[in-house]
Amino acid sequence: GYKVARMATDKFTDLQACGAPVAEIFTKFAEETGRELHLEIEPGTFLVANSGAVVSSVQDKVSTGPTGHTFLKLDAGMTDVLRPSLYGAQHPLVVVPADPAANRETENVVVVGHCCESGDLLSCAPDEPETIDERELTKAEVGDFLVVEGSGAYCSAMSTKNYNSFPEAPELLLTEAGDLHVIRARQPVAEIWKNEIQLDDSVLA
């Protein structure tokens, strides 16, 4: 697929540069054969990757000492954004203070999710899902928001649904007018086990 620049250091596919030689070949083919070819593409990720974000909250902040790390634990994680845990994908992480008037310095932190898993790591090293890496972010406090950007593709659709009994998060649509509309409600916890069937005691005897 077309390369999407989620991180500021990523390279974005230049559609004009990619399309020019293709258009040239199609034009030449039409001139030589009298046939005009019709090309259809499915850009998918290229269109939506940067149109979505996961808005989470900082639940806890822990330091492992001067030779360790400062960890931010979120109320989201691999249940919502699995790409870092699978193959070390990088997503922009942005701290949004709960107090809009807050003016804070930055700090280096490790960002982890709410699952009890060593792989629930959002600030892993590039292409190395099991390697801890730090990000320089606005200094966070418990109760602040942390936004995982670039989550519009291969996040909700690839989530580890109901892992550790976490229900699916709600999804909202932000319109150009600034209005929010719920397009998927938060999953009720009871739905996690509603399809389970109670066996007769004799089966387990």
Side-chain angles (χ1 to χ4, degrees):
Y2 296 122
K3 173 65 178 175
V4 177
R6 286 181 169 88
M7 302 293 288
T9 53
D10 289 346
K11 291 184 178 180
F12 210 98
T13 299
D14 186 334
L15 295 184
Q16 297 300 320
C18 288
V22 176
E24 183 179 340
I25 293 172
F26 273 46
T27 300
K28 183 178 180 181
F29 180 85
E31 291 173 349
E32 293 176 349
T33 66
R35 293 172 53 206
E36 291 187 356
L37 300 179
H38 176 72
L39 174 66
E40 293 186 0
I41 61 173
E42 196 284 296
T45 300
F46 187 83
L47 294 179
V48 300
N50 288 324
S51 67
V54 173
V55 180
S56 64
S57 296
V58 178
Q59 287 188 324
D60 200 4
K61 182 175 184 178
V62 177
S63 173
T64 54
T67 60
H69 303 282
T70 297
F71 290 84
L72 299 183
K73 178 195 170 190
L74 310 181
D75 65 349
M78 60 185 287
T79 48
D80 313 283
V81 183
L82 186 60
R83 298 178 72 251
S85 299
L86 274 184
Y87 38 79
Q90 302 293 292
H91 286 261
L93 305 175
V94 181
V95 171
V96 180
D99 178 6
N103 183 15
R104 304 178 190 163
E105 299 178 348
T106 61
E107 63 178 345
N108 292 324
V109 295
V110 175
V111 182
V112 298
H114 56 178
C115 294
C116 188
E117 290 286 352
S118 60
D120 194 4
L121 178 63
L122 289 165
S123 63
C124 58
D127 304 319
E128 297 182 22
E130 297 183 3
T131 302
I132 289 178
D133 199 7
E134 294 183 339
R135 294 280 187 93
E136 183 180 357
L137 305 177
T138 298
K139 196 169 185 178
E141 298 176 359
V142 173
D144 286 343
F145 300 103
L146 190 143
V147 180
V148 184
E149 297 183 336
S151 300
Y154 295 106
C155 290
S156 175
M158 215 165 69
S159 67
T160 53
K161 180 179 178 180
N162 297 155
Y163 184 74
N164 274 12
S165 295
F166 287 115
E168 283 183 308
E171 293 186 2
L172 291 85
L173 173 70
L174 177 63
T175 68
E176 291 185 0
D179 301 319
L180 285 172
H181 300 272
V182 177
I183 57 175
R184 186 180 75 184
R186 183 185 300 276
Q187 182 187 28
V189 174
E191 284 193 3
I192 296 175
W193 62 80
K194 77 173 184 178
N195 292 329
E196 296 180 9
I197 305 299
Q198 180 67 45
L199 290 175
D200 188 272
D201 290 343
S202 62
V203 177
L204 304 176

